[in-house]
Amino acid sequence: MTDTTAETTGAATGGVRTLLRLEGLVLFVGMTVLYYKWEGSWLIYVLLFLVPDLSFAAYLISPRAGAIAYNAAHTYMAPVALMTLGFAGEGPLVLSIAMIWLAHIGIDRALGYGLKYSRGFGFTHLGRIGRAQEPA
């Protein structure tokens, strides 16, 4: 028997979904502990933690624009590149921003906020979110 839910919705299900959410939790905790050990400013942490969510504003343009902006701000590519540049150039602020950004992505994934599909904000790679969680 196969699980066709993932095939029709484009979302992870079952154990894979659980692993992806746990992975997000580990990322959040790991980056927050690393930031603590780094002795970063907690004021900066608090001020920057929700900055990636400014990408929501693109949903005012269209669901497609919103998904593109949200996904750009919620993938690992840019913060990992920043972290690499921070280590290579010994840039403490760059490293701090990268850790905070990755912690944000981690907690979002742990809470079930996955990467978005252009159908709308509630359609994610981790399943539906919001009021109507049944597939449309």
Side-chain angles (χ1 to χ4, degrees), residues 41-91:
S41 164
W42 290 104
L43 177 61
I44 290 175
Y45 188 96
V46 170
L47 290 174
L48 294 182
F49 190 78
L50 295 177
V51 166
D53 286 341
L54 294 175
S55 62
F56 290 152
Y59 276 97
L60 296 172
I61 299 168
S62 72
R64 184 174 188 276
I68 291 169
Y70 182 93
N71 291 344
H74 289 84
T75 61
Y76 304 131
M77 293 180 286
V80 168
L82 263 184
M83 185 171 271
T84 303
L85 289 172
F87 274 116
E90 299 180 25

Side-chain angles (χ1 to χ4, degrees), residues 114-131:
L115 297 174
K116 309 300 182 211
Y117 290 102
S118 60
R119 291 180 63 193
F121 182 79
F123 297 89
T124 81
H125 85 287
L126 295 176
R128 292 287 307 272
I129 58 172
R131 291 189 183 138

